[in-house]
Short mmCIF file of all heavy atoms in Angstrom, two decimals:
data_model
loop_
_atom_site.label_atom_id
_atom_site.label_comp_id
_atom_site.label_asym_id
_atom_site.label_seq_id
_atom_site.Cartn_x
_atom_site.Cartn_y
_atom_site.Cartn_z
N LYS A 1 -1.04 -11.10 6.83
CA LYS A 1 0.11 -10.23 7.01
C LYS A 1 -0.03 -9.52 8.35
O LYS A 1 -0.87 -8.63 8.51
CB LYS A 1 0.18 -9.19 5.88
CG LYS A 1 0.36 -9.76 4.49
CD LYS A 1 1.72 -10.40 4.30
CE LYS A 1 2.00 -10.70 2.84
NZ LYS A 1 3.23 -11.52 2.68
N LYS A 2 0.77 -9.92 9.32
CA LYS A 2 0.65 -9.35 10.65
C LYS A 2 2.02 -9.33 11.33
O LYS A 2 2.77 -10.29 11.24
CB LYS A 2 -0.34 -10.15 11.50
CG LYS A 2 -0.73 -9.49 12.82
CD LYS A 2 -1.85 -10.23 13.50
CE LYS A 2 -2.27 -9.57 14.79
NZ LYS A 2 -2.78 -8.19 14.58
N GLY A 3 2.31 -8.23 11.98
CA GLY A 3 3.59 -8.11 12.68
C GLY A 3 4.52 -7.14 11.98
O GLY A 3 4.19 -6.51 10.97
N GLU A 4 5.71 -7.03 12.53
CA GLU A 4 6.68 -6.07 12.04
C GLU A 4 7.24 -6.51 10.69
O GLU A 4 7.58 -7.67 10.48
CB GLU A 4 7.83 -5.94 13.04
CG GLU A 4 8.90 -4.95 12.63
CD GLU A 4 10.06 -4.90 13.61
OE1 GLU A 4 10.03 -5.66 14.60
OE2 GLU A 4 11.00 -4.10 13.37
N THR A 5 7.34 -5.55 9.79
CA THR A 5 7.96 -5.80 8.50
C THR A 5 9.47 -5.65 8.63
O THR A 5 9.96 -4.65 9.17
CB THR A 5 7.44 -4.81 7.44
OG1 THR A 5 6.03 -5.01 7.28
CG2 THR A 5 8.12 -5.02 6.10
N THR A 6 10.21 -6.65 8.15
CA THR A 6 11.66 -6.61 8.21
C THR A 6 12.24 -6.84 6.81
O THR A 6 11.57 -7.35 5.92
CB THR A 6 12.21 -7.68 9.17
OG1 THR A 6 11.76 -8.98 8.74
CG2 THR A 6 11.73 -7.43 10.59
N LEU A 7 13.49 -6.47 6.66
CA LEU A 7 14.20 -6.63 5.40
C LEU A 7 15.23 -7.73 5.55
O LEU A 7 16.07 -7.70 6.46
CB LEU A 7 14.89 -5.32 5.00
CG LEU A 7 15.77 -5.35 3.75
CD1 LEU A 7 14.93 -5.62 2.52
CD2 LEU A 7 16.54 -4.04 3.60
N VAL A 8 15.19 -8.73 4.66
CA VAL A 8 16.20 -9.77 4.63
C VAL A 8 17.39 -9.19 3.88
O VAL A 8 17.45 -9.22 2.65
CB VAL A 8 15.66 -11.05 3.95
CG1 VAL A 8 16.72 -12.15 3.99
CG2 VAL A 8 14.39 -11.52 4.64
N ALA A 9 18.34 -8.67 4.63
CA ALA A 9 19.39 -7.84 4.05
C ALA A 9 20.35 -8.61 3.15
O ALA A 9 20.92 -8.05 2.22
CB ALA A 9 20.17 -7.15 5.17
N ARG A 10 20.53 -9.92 3.41
CA ARG A 10 21.52 -10.66 2.63
C ARG A 10 21.06 -10.96 1.21
O ARG A 10 21.85 -11.44 0.38
CB ARG A 10 21.86 -11.98 3.34
CG ARG A 10 20.73 -13.00 3.35
CD ARG A 10 21.18 -14.29 4.00
NE ARG A 10 20.16 -15.30 3.98
CZ ARG A 10 19.19 -15.43 4.88
NH1 ARG A 10 19.12 -14.55 5.88
NH2 ARG A 10 18.30 -16.39 4.80
N VAL A 11 19.78 -10.72 0.93
CA VAL A 11 19.25 -10.96 -0.40
C VAL A 11 19.50 -9.74 -1.27
O VAL A 11 19.44 -8.60 -0.80
CB VAL A 11 17.73 -11.29 -0.32
CG1 VAL A 11 17.17 -11.56 -1.70
CG2 VAL A 11 17.52 -12.48 0.59
N GLY A 12 19.76 -9.95 -2.54
CA GLY A 12 20.15 -8.86 -3.42
C GLY A 12 19.02 -8.05 -3.98
O GLY A 12 19.19 -7.36 -4.98
N TRP A 13 17.83 -8.13 -3.40
CA TRP A 13 16.71 -7.29 -3.81
C TRP A 13 15.93 -6.92 -2.56
O TRP A 13 16.25 -7.37 -1.46
CB TRP A 13 15.81 -8.02 -4.82
CG TRP A 13 15.31 -9.35 -4.38
CD1 TRP A 13 15.96 -10.55 -4.46
CD2 TRP A 13 14.07 -9.64 -3.74
NE1 TRP A 13 15.20 -11.56 -3.93
CE2 TRP A 13 14.03 -11.03 -3.49
CE3 TRP A 13 12.96 -8.86 -3.37
CZ2 TRP A 13 12.94 -11.66 -2.87
CZ3 TRP A 13 11.88 -9.48 -2.75
CH2 TRP A 13 11.89 -10.86 -2.52
N GLU A 14 14.93 -6.06 -2.68
CA GLU A 14 14.21 -5.57 -1.51
C GLU A 14 13.27 -6.65 -0.97
O GLU A 14 12.06 -6.63 -1.21
CB GLU A 14 13.43 -4.31 -1.88
CG GLU A 14 14.33 -3.13 -2.19
CD GLU A 14 13.52 -1.88 -2.48
OE1 GLU A 14 12.55 -1.96 -3.25
OE2 GLU A 14 13.85 -0.82 -1.93
N CYS A 15 13.83 -7.55 -0.21
CA CYS A 15 13.07 -8.70 0.32
C CYS A 15 12.46 -8.34 1.67
O CYS A 15 12.95 -8.73 2.72
CB CYS A 15 13.99 -9.92 0.44
SG CYS A 15 13.13 -11.43 0.91
N TYR A 16 11.36 -7.59 1.62
CA TYR A 16 10.63 -7.24 2.84
C TYR A 16 9.64 -8.35 3.16
O TYR A 16 9.02 -8.93 2.26
CB TYR A 16 9.89 -5.92 2.66
CG TYR A 16 10.80 -4.71 2.62
CD1 TYR A 16 11.20 -4.16 1.41
CD2 TYR A 16 11.26 -4.13 3.80
CE1 TYR A 16 12.03 -3.05 1.37
CE2 TYR A 16 12.09 -3.02 3.77
CZ TYR A 16 12.48 -2.49 2.55
OH TYR A 16 13.30 -1.40 2.53
N ARG A 17 9.46 -8.65 4.44
CA ARG A 17 8.56 -9.73 4.82
C ARG A 17 8.08 -9.54 6.25
O ARG A 17 8.65 -8.77 7.03
CB ARG A 17 9.25 -11.09 4.68
CG ARG A 17 10.43 -11.30 5.62
CD ARG A 17 11.07 -12.67 5.44
NE ARG A 17 10.08 -13.73 5.55
CZ ARG A 17 9.64 -14.23 6.69
NH1 ARG A 17 10.07 -13.76 7.86
NH2 ARG A 17 8.74 -15.21 6.70
N VAL A 18 7.01 -10.23 6.58
CA VAL A 18 6.54 -10.38 7.95
C VAL A 18 6.51 -11.87 8.26
O VAL A 18 6.56 -12.70 7.35
CB VAL A 18 5.12 -9.78 8.14
CG1 VAL A 18 5.13 -8.28 7.96
CG2 VAL A 18 4.13 -10.43 7.19
N PRO A 19 6.42 -12.26 9.54
CA PRO A 19 6.29 -13.68 9.84
C PRO A 19 5.09 -14.28 9.12
O PRO A 19 4.01 -13.66 9.07
CB PRO A 19 6.11 -13.71 11.36
CG PRO A 19 6.76 -12.45 11.84
CD PRO A 19 6.51 -11.44 10.77
N ALA A 20 5.25 -15.46 8.56
CA ALA A 20 4.15 -16.12 7.86
C ALA A 20 3.03 -16.44 8.84
O ALA A 20 3.23 -17.21 9.78
CB ALA A 20 4.64 -17.38 7.16
N GLY A 21 1.85 -15.86 8.62
CA GLY A 21 0.75 -16.01 9.57
C GLY A 21 -0.26 -17.05 9.18
O GLY A 21 -1.28 -17.20 9.85
N GLY A 22 -0.03 -17.76 8.08
CA GLY A 22 -1.00 -18.74 7.61
C GLY A 22 -1.98 -18.14 6.63
O GLY A 22 -1.75 -17.06 6.07
N VAL A 23 -3.10 -18.84 6.45
CA VAL A 23 -4.10 -18.45 5.45
C VAL A 23 -5.44 -18.18 6.14
O VAL A 23 -5.95 -19.04 6.86
CB VAL A 23 -4.27 -19.55 4.40
CG1 VAL A 23 -5.36 -19.18 3.40
CG2 VAL A 23 -2.94 -19.81 3.68
N ALA A 24 -5.98 -17.00 5.91
CA ALA A 24 -7.28 -16.63 6.47
C ALA A 24 -8.40 -17.01 5.51
O ALA A 24 -8.20 -17.08 4.29
CB ALA A 24 -7.33 -15.14 6.74
N CYS A 25 -9.60 -17.24 6.07
CA CYS A 25 -10.78 -17.54 5.25
C CYS A 25 -11.94 -16.65 5.68
O CYS A 25 -12.24 -16.53 6.87
CB CYS A 25 -11.16 -19.01 5.39
SG CYS A 25 -12.63 -19.48 4.44
N TYR A 26 -12.60 -16.04 4.69
CA TYR A 26 -13.80 -15.23 4.89
C TYR A 26 -14.87 -15.76 3.94
O TYR A 26 -14.56 -16.38 2.92
CB TYR A 26 -13.53 -13.76 4.57
CG TYR A 26 -12.49 -13.10 5.45
CD1 TYR A 26 -11.13 -13.30 5.22
CD2 TYR A 26 -12.87 -12.26 6.49
CE1 TYR A 26 -10.17 -12.69 6.02
CE2 TYR A 26 -11.92 -11.64 7.29
CZ TYR A 26 -10.58 -11.86 7.06
OH TYR A 26 -9.64 -11.24 7.86
N ARG A 27 -16.13 -15.46 4.26
CA ARG A 27 -17.19 -15.84 3.32
C ARG A 27 -18.21 -14.73 3.19
O ARG A 27 -18.40 -13.90 4.09
CB ARG A 27 -17.87 -17.15 3.74
CG ARG A 27 -18.77 -17.06 4.95
CD ARG A 27 -19.46 -18.40 5.21
NE ARG A 27 -20.33 -18.32 6.38
CZ ARG A 27 -21.01 -19.34 6.88
NH1 ARG A 27 -20.91 -20.54 6.31
NH2 ARG A 27 -21.80 -19.18 7.93
N SER A 28 -18.89 -14.74 2.04
CA SER A 28 -19.87 -13.70 1.73
C SER A 28 -20.87 -14.25 0.73
O SER A 28 -20.53 -15.09 -0.11
CB SER A 28 -19.16 -12.47 1.14
OG SER A 28 -20.09 -11.51 0.67
N LYS A 29 -22.10 -13.76 0.80
CA LYS A 29 -23.10 -14.11 -0.21
C LYS A 29 -23.17 -13.09 -1.34
O LYS A 29 -23.67 -13.40 -2.42
CB LYS A 29 -24.49 -14.25 0.44
CG LYS A 29 -24.68 -15.52 1.25
CD LYS A 29 -26.12 -15.69 1.69
CE LYS A 29 -26.33 -17.04 2.38
NZ LYS A 29 -27.75 -17.25 2.78
N ASP A 30 -22.66 -11.87 -1.07
CA ASP A 30 -22.85 -10.79 -2.04
C ASP A 30 -21.54 -10.11 -2.47
O ASP A 30 -21.58 -9.10 -3.17
CB ASP A 30 -23.80 -9.74 -1.47
CG ASP A 30 -23.32 -9.16 -0.14
OD1 ASP A 30 -22.17 -9.45 0.27
OD2 ASP A 30 -24.09 -8.41 0.49
N LEU A 31 -20.39 -10.64 -2.03
CA LEU A 31 -19.08 -10.06 -2.31
C LEU A 31 -18.89 -8.69 -1.66
O LEU A 31 -17.91 -8.00 -1.92
CB LEU A 31 -18.83 -9.94 -3.83
CG LEU A 31 -18.75 -11.25 -4.61
CD1 LEU A 31 -18.71 -10.97 -6.12
CD2 LEU A 31 -17.53 -12.06 -4.20
N LYS A 32 -19.81 -8.36 -0.78
CA LYS A 32 -19.75 -7.05 -0.11
C LYS A 32 -19.56 -7.21 1.40
O LYS A 32 -18.73 -6.53 2.00
CB LYS A 32 -21.03 -6.26 -0.40
CG LYS A 32 -21.11 -4.92 0.31
CD LYS A 32 -22.43 -4.22 -0.01
CE LYS A 32 -22.54 -2.91 0.75
NZ LYS A 32 -23.82 -2.22 0.48
N ASN A 33 -20.34 -8.11 2.00
CA ASN A 33 -20.30 -8.31 3.45
C ASN A 33 -19.55 -9.61 3.74
O ASN A 33 -20.02 -10.70 3.38
CB ASN A 33 -21.72 -8.37 4.01
CG ASN A 33 -22.49 -7.09 3.73
OD1 ASN A 33 -22.22 -6.06 4.33
ND2 ASN A 33 -23.45 -7.16 2.81
#
């Protein structure tokens, strides 16, 4: 989630979005670092 949040006004609900940035990957051995 990166960039300006905008509202797709033509949709009948609160359709807030940012440009699709893809999928990030992180790794950890202890779920902490």
